Amino acid sequence: MRPSTDIASARAGPTPGRFAHIGDRAWGWGLTILGGTILVVAGLILLELGRVAAPAFDHIRIFRFLTSSDWDPVQEKFGALPFIYGTLVTSIVAILVALPVSVGLALFLSEMGPRRLRPPVAYAIEVLAAIPSVIFGLWGLFVMVPWLREFLQPALQRTLGFLPFFRGPMIGLGYLAAGLILALMILPTIASVTIEVLKTVPPALKEGALALGATRWEAIRIAVLPYARPGILGATLLGLGRALGETMAVTMVIGNSPEISASLFAPGYSLPAVIANEFAEATGDVHIGALASLGLVLFGITLVLNAVAQVLIMTVARGPRGAKA
Amino acid sequence: MNPLRWRRFVNVFWTVASGTGVLVALIPLASLLWLVVSHGAKGLSASFFVSLPTPVGEPGGGVGNAIVGTFFMVGLASLMALPVGVGAGVYLAEKGDGPAGRAIRFTAEVLAGVPSIVIGIVAYGLIVTQMRRFSALAGGVALALIMVPSLARSTEEFIRLVPTALREASLALGVPGWKTSLRVIIPTALGGIVTAVLLAVARAAGETAPLLFTALNNQYWNLDPTQPTASLTVQIYNYAISPYEDWHSKAWTAALVLLLLVGLLNLMARLLSRNRMAGAR
Amino acid sequence: MISSLETATPMTPFEERPHESGHRTAAAPRVATPKLTVRGLSAWYGKNRALHDVNLTVAPRSVMAAIGPSGCGKSTFLRCLNRMHELIPGARAEGTLLLDGKDLLGRDVDPVTLRRRVGMVFQRPNPFPTMSVRDNVAAGLRLNRVGGDHDEIVERTLRQAALWDEVKDRLGASALSLSGGQQQRLCIARALAVEPEVLLMDEPASALDPIATAKIEDLIHELKERYTIVIVTHNMQQAGRVSDHTAFFYMGDLVEVGPTEKIFTNPSEKRTEDYVTGKFG
């Protein structure tokens, strides 16, 4: 709730004029400068990225950059398709797994779960959110990958092996491993935003459905979820943004192989992973520039995603459109 | 099956399904925590905390320099990020209701979502290219850039939580606006701000990607900001992807140390906010 | 009140008569057995007892108004009638509640099916915002897997709710495009579509302007022909206008219940008299 306008103007100090206190003016200016630094930081990020990437611009044609699979820095050939492909595939796998689980988690914590179980589960999700990504990578590499290799991948191939996604040699590392570990990491993001969104749904809607003789799930299905849908979409986009930019856990389990393959069992690469692996020992400004250009692509995509997600979440908080008095 | 029985079944089904979702999230978490503790505890000893890394095959060794490095760089980052982040947060809370404030808030929110590896490239450009070497300073700058947006937003939230009645009371006593903010509002919100800082620090301590090509790594002790520096996270990464078994176990132990550090910071943040809630009554 | 006896047509208890906007007097109940019987109903929110031992009966096809000051338990009472009370964590109800002789509070009664027979309209209109007018009315039908021509049922209930003429050209429009009063009549139509026997109304006009309120009150008179209605209202004049019987609640007790005319002109209890004459409330 925004405070009344009186207090809002008092916050900024009394209106400048004959009685303006010098302290208020200085305070106001000081704060404005500090607030402006956010914009400066944003501009700085954009400019620096561009500057580091610039040496590569002469050597890259955008079309070739985005569609060629030939990444050979020594020969100054920069085709980023395998990385883009890998980033997209792992993120899609992550969303496909994380979305239902997160919504289930959110529903459990706000509607359907036994009340006594809610605080410990909520706490566990907070713990999940706080774990550094390199530790996820460690666990993924030494625990999840062998499990995939010995158990899940053979099971998937037995049952769904007719699909191109589940064919080929099963080494554990690869798109599937990266997608699954990403799903685990973005669960808290999607779940917590979804819970906030569910809280903004007016309880009268659920009551209305229950009064018609709906079961608890039906009331959620017809009254709560449709209302919350844009917000859940926003939460998903936030999760997607996080998945796209995730580096360490992915690079530790994806296999780091710049090949494109339809099979999820195959090793691959991703945009953040290649930057992480090659940047420190990059050969020359052009190579660095190319890697920074990959960073620009990543920056642009996550920027758009986060902006759209913010708008969607605010839409739900503001209430349904077209409501008349 | 009559429709009512079917509907009741569907109700139970989805309740169980949402519970399954919980299990899918919690089982890996439990596995991860358990294994970090059980694998990591094997190598945990006092010397692990204070020794330098040893070459492969040699017994002993530790991550002492990495722990120091993490503290060092996070400390540098905090020095840079706190004034800017908290300051911007105060701006947003005090003067952030207009179009400029909205633009800044939106920018901060969007910046918070920038992948940390991209931030690393920015820090590389800002510091590493100018100094022509990898350095702890570059690492600190990268971490600072990561901390600022979330600090700003959290600080704003906590300051807005202070009841306006408090501000009104101070103004009614004839205290000027700026003093009210500085001496009344911010100290009241201080507990929350410290919580936000602790959480931002915990996050920075767990970052790896931006450090890979800013601070690089270092096998020795280092407190010189102009030199490359080790960090817990990078060390864990290097140990994990190496082909050596005993380095793998060192990775688990270092991971345990990192988890303890991050866990401690989060715990402090949680206790602090709980005390604030209790004390406010 | 216009007595229906003044029209020329002779009336019999089961004949359908063309309806003018007349009111039926309280002295002409059609059938003797009560529709709802409440015996010893008590309700708690956790440890707080909200209702003490309520006993009353509601005649079929009549309107019972529940009046009383804020917090007297009348809304709690209403919510016990369709077992929405027990949905609040920590809330419970005990006693006997008979609908046509069958105990609603029994263990073998499924609240979900109960709510089809006992419908509810809430204080603020709560149409499903993502659905059209038509889908809102049909929502209960879809949920309960009712077959038949939904469009025909939608038209029928919208006519019953005196809303058909106003929305017949925009059945596909969003429910939110209607005014507040129209939305409330929409919610009434939605409740009627599943053909309940009893309709509970929790201060249905309190959020509406006087013109919309008058329309709702006229509607109640019409609905009384087919449904048994229990309405909670804090507006005594409204209770006097629409109801046949009135129950006065005070601090969780049912102080007095009886024909509306008697309660308002010649109550037996002093507390009732004090309330209806405005000495407190």
Side-chain angles (χ1 to χ4, degrees):
Chain A
M1 266 292 161
R2 293 265 180 263
S4 70
T5 29
D6 304 340
I7 301 303
S9 59
R11 285 180 159 188
T15 336
R18 276 206 322 276
F19 296 113
H21 201 283
I22 180 105
D24 286 326
R25 288 255 202 93
W27 176 252
W29 277 111
L31 280 188
T32 308
I33 292 177
L34 285 171
T37 49
I38 298 283
L39 296 176
V40 167
V41 165
L44 206 61
I45 290 179
L46 205 52
L47 284 174
E48 262 319 299
L49 256 189
R51 196 178 69 81
V52 177
F57 289 164
D58 291 328
H59 295 255
I60 294 181
R61 246 150 296 151
I62 304 243
F63 185 72
R64 175 92 54 82
F65 189 59
L66 295 177
T67 55
S68 153
S69 306
D70 192 6
W71 179 270
D72 192 346
V74 176
Q75 308 242 3
E76 295 202 344
K77 289 223 181 80
F78 299 114
L81 190 60
F83 316 128
I84 298 176
Y85 177 79
T87 301
L88 283 177
V89 166
T90 51
S91 301
I92 290 176
V93 169
I95 292 289
L96 284 177
V97 173
L99 181 57
V101 176
S102 300
V103 174
L105 208 52
L107 285 177
F108 183 92
L109 286 173
S110 58
E111 304 271 351
M112 304 194 86
R115 271 167 208 270
R116 285 232 192 89
L117 288 182
R118 289 187 197 177
V121 171
Y123 184 66
I125 299 302
E126 281 183 35
V127 171
L128 194 62
I131 297 183
S133 77
V134 69
I135 298 188
F136 275 113
L138 182 69
W139 176 82
L141 183 58
F142 292 136
V143 181
M144 197 184 76
V145 162
W147 178 76
L148 280 182
R149 189 175 55 232
E150 310 291 317
F151 178 69
L152 185 65
Q153 283 178 341
L156 283 172
Q157 191 158 87
R158 268 198 308 273
T159 52
L160 297 170
F162 57 91
L163 291 170
F165 307 126
F166 303 115
R167 298 220 195 109
M170 297 176 281
I171 55 172
L173 297 170
Y175 297 112
L176 185 63
L180 289 180
I181 202 103
L182 278 179
L184 192 60
M185 294 172 72
I186 65 177
L187 271 179
T189 308
I190 304 183
S192 63
V193 176
T194 303
I195 291 176
E196 290 304 314
V197 166
L198 288 177
K199 278 198 203 151
T200 66
V201 178
L205 289 180
K206 195 165 66 129
E207 287 198 316
L210 287 171
L212 285 175
T215 60
R216 195 170 46 179
W217 161 251
E218 288 168 342
I220 295 175
R221 178 170 58 90
I222 70 171
V224 175
L225 285 180
Y227 188 94
R229 216 192 323 245
I232 298 182
L233 180 61
T236 311
L237 288 183
L238 277 180
L240 182 62
R242 224 204 120 175
L244 289 175
E246 180 45 52
T247 312
M248 299 319 295
V250 169
T251 191
M252 288 165 90
V253 303
I254 199 172
N256 297 332
S257 152
E259 304 290 326
I260 298 185
S261 162
S263 164
L264 290 177
F265 295 169
Y269 226 151
S270 80
L271 286 170
V274 68
I275 299 175
N277 284 325
E278 295 194 1
F279 205 96
E281 284 140 17
T283 52
D285 284 344
V286 178
H287 188 187
I288 289 188
L291 291 171
S293 306
L294 294 177
L296 265 175
V297 171
L298 208 52
F299 181 59
I301 299 177
T302 48
L303 210 69
V304 170
L305 269 178
N306 278 308
V308 173
Q310 286 306 319
V311 170
L312 281 172
I313 292 172
M314 277 171 13
T315 305
V316 176
R318 236 184 288 125
R321 301 173 292 289
K324 258 160 70 170
Chain B
M1 195 190 293
N2 77 50
L4 192 59
R5 294 250 312 260
W6 170 251
R7 290 168 59 200
R8 284 213 219 116
F9 169 72
V10 168
N11 192 37
V12 171
F13 174 78
W14 283 111
T15 310
V16 169
S18 79
T20 314
V22 171
L23 284 177
V24 167
L26 294 190
I27 291 179
L29 173 65
S31 159
L32 187 151
L33 290 176
W34 167 249
L35 287 172
V36 169
V37 169
S38 62
H39 284 300
K42 288 187 214 141
L44 201 60
S45 63
S47 79
F48 192 77
F49 284 90
V50 297
S51 321
L52 287 175
T54 52
V56 193
E58 269 189 42
V63 292
N65 61 339
I67 297 178
V68 167
T70 294
F71 273 98
F72 182 40
M73 282 191 286
V74 171
L76 274 179
S78 303
L79 274 177
M80 294 184 268
L82 249 59
V84 175
V86 173
V90 175
Y91 164 80
L92 284 174
E94 300 259 310
K95 300 187 67 176
D97 290 324
R102 279 198 297 273
I104 292 180
R105 187 175 299 114
F106 187 74
T107 307
E109 203 68 68
V110 165
L111 277 183
V114 174
S116 60
I117 191 142
V118 171
I119 301 286
I121 300 179
V122 171
Y124 175 87
L126 281 174
I127 310 285
V128 178
T129 51
Q130 307 304 335
M131 288 177 53
R132 298 190 183 289
R133 58 148 65 99
F134 298 108
S135 63
L137 181 63
V141 166
L143 293 181
L145 288 173
I146 292 173
M147 288 170 74
V148 162
S150 57
L151 258 183
R153 290 293 280 125
S154 307
T155 303
E156 180 195 356
E157 308 250 339
F158 281 113
I159 294 183
R160 281 193 187 273
L161 279 179
V162 176
T164 41
L166 210 60
R167 186 184 299 270
E168 289 180 310
S170 173
L171 292 175
L173 286 171
V175 179
W178 67 273
K179 228 191 226 185
T180 301
S181 302
L182 198 55
R183 308 287 282 274
V184 177
I185 304 296
I186 293 182
T188 312
L190 202 57
I193 298 179
V194 172
T195 308
V197 168
L198 283 174
L199 290 175
V201 165
R203 179 166 166 208
E207 284 287 346
T208 320
L211 299 177
L212 288 174
F213 42 85
T214 47
L216 208 67
N217 203 353
N218 193 327
Q219 299 297 85
Y220 302 103
W221 304 102
N222 177 46
L223 280 177
D224 181 352
T226 63
Q227 295 293 333
T229 308
S231 55
L232 263 180
T233 45
V234 173
Q235 194 69 298
I236 295 173
Y237 176 61
N238 286 332
Y239 277 158
I241 61 174
S242 72
Y244 312 119
E245 195 60 55
D246 75 325
W247 273 12
H248 292 172
S249 23
K250 289 213 173 119
W252 284 108
T253 313
L256 179 58
V257 174
L258 180 61
L259 216 53
L260 286 173
L261 175 64
V262 169
L264 195 65
L265 285 168
N266 276 292
L267 201 66
M268 280 165 55
R270 178 175 288 267
L271 284 177
L272 198 65
S273 66
R274 202 175 298 167
N275 277 342
R276 257 187 330 110
M277 297 298 172
R281 230 145 274 145
Chain C
M1 291 204 290
I2 305 167
S3 168
S4 49
L5 296 169
E6 282 169 0
T7 63
T9 336
M11 69 172 223
T12 61
F14 304 103
E15 189 182 351
E16 286 295 332
R17 292 161 55 254
H19 181 72
E20 285 122 335
S21 63
H23 312 250
R24 188 147 306 194
T25 67
R30 288 196 172 188
V31 192
T33 36
K35 185 73 176 168
L36 275 174
T37 307
V38 178
R39 278 206 288 269
L41 180 67
S42 293
W44 289 261
Y45 292 103
K47 296 230 170 61
N48 299 324
R49 191 158 182 183
L51 284 180
H52 303 97
D53 235 20
V54 174
N55 295 284
L56 58 77
T57 62
V58 184
R61 294 192 206 144
S62 69
V63 179
M64 159 89 64
I67 62 173
S70 293
C72 65
K74 53 192 196 290
S75 279
T76 308
F77 169 69
L78 199 74
R79 278 163 187 257
C80 285
L81 296 182
N82 69 347
R83 293 182 68 170
M84 295 275 288
H85 170 76
E86 63 199 41
L87 292 176
I88 297 171
R92 76 177 202 279
E94 277 170 20
T96 313
L97 181 58
L98 304 180
L99 176 66
D100 285 339
K102 176 113 194 270
D103 186 9
L104 300 179
L105 297 180
R107 288 193 151 258
D108 59 333
V109 176
D110 179 13
V112 169
T113 24
L114 163 67
R115 293 182 195 129
R116 245 192 98 174
R117 299 178 64 194
V118 181
M120 187 173 234
V121 175
F122 296 82
Q123 195 166 347
R124 308 192 75 91
N126 57 359
F128 301 126
T130 52
M131 296 188 199
S132 66
V133 169
R134 178 198 294 114
D135 288 339
N136 258 285
V137 179
L141 300 173
R142 291 227 190 86
L143 275 178
N144 289 296
R145 305 290 199 284
V146 173
D149 185 357
H150 284 192
D151 283 336
E152 189 237 312
I153 298 177
V154 166
E155 178 177 341
R156 177 158 47 88
T157 42
L158 283 174
R159 281 188 194 280
Q160 279 186 17
L163 190 59
W164 173 251
D165 286 325
E166 293 167 55
V167 299
K168 62 180 185 243
D169 296 323
R170 38 186 180 129
L171 292 177
S174 161
L176 295 179
S177 62
L178 305 180
S179 73
Q182 290 171 326
Q183 285 185 20
Q184 189 64 308
R185 279 177 280 151
L186 176 64
C187 291
I188 294 175
R190 180 178 69 184
L192 295 180
V194 292
E195 298 194 350
E197 299 156 48
V198 179
L199 189 61
L200 306 175
M201 307 181 94
D202 191 352
E203 306 204 33
S206 68
L208 305 177
D209 62 75
I211 297 178
T213 301
K215 287 200 180 144
I216 299 279
E217 289 182 10
D218 285 341
L219 186 54
I220 295 178
H221 284 300
E222 293 180 21
L223 293 175
K224 191 167 70 169
E225 307 268 312
R226 302 174 54 135
Y227 305 97
T228 306
I229 298 179
V230 182
I231 173 171
V232 162
T233 177
H234 64 265
N235 181 337
M236 283 188 288
Q237 289 75 18
Q238 181 174 86
R241 286 192 293 269
V242 306
S243 68
D244 304 310
H245 301 268
T246 298
F248 170 57
F249 288 83
Y250 183 65
M251 303 240 290
D253 287 309
L254 173 62
V255 173
E256 189 174 344
V257 60
T260 298
E261 211 175 335
K262 174 166 193 293
I263 295 279
F264 281 99
T265 56
N266 188 19
S268 309
E269 296 280 327
K270 174 109 185 15
R271 280 179 293 175
T272 316
E273 181 173 353
D274 287 343
Y275 181 71
V276 302
T277 52
K279 289 221 181 94
F280 72 93

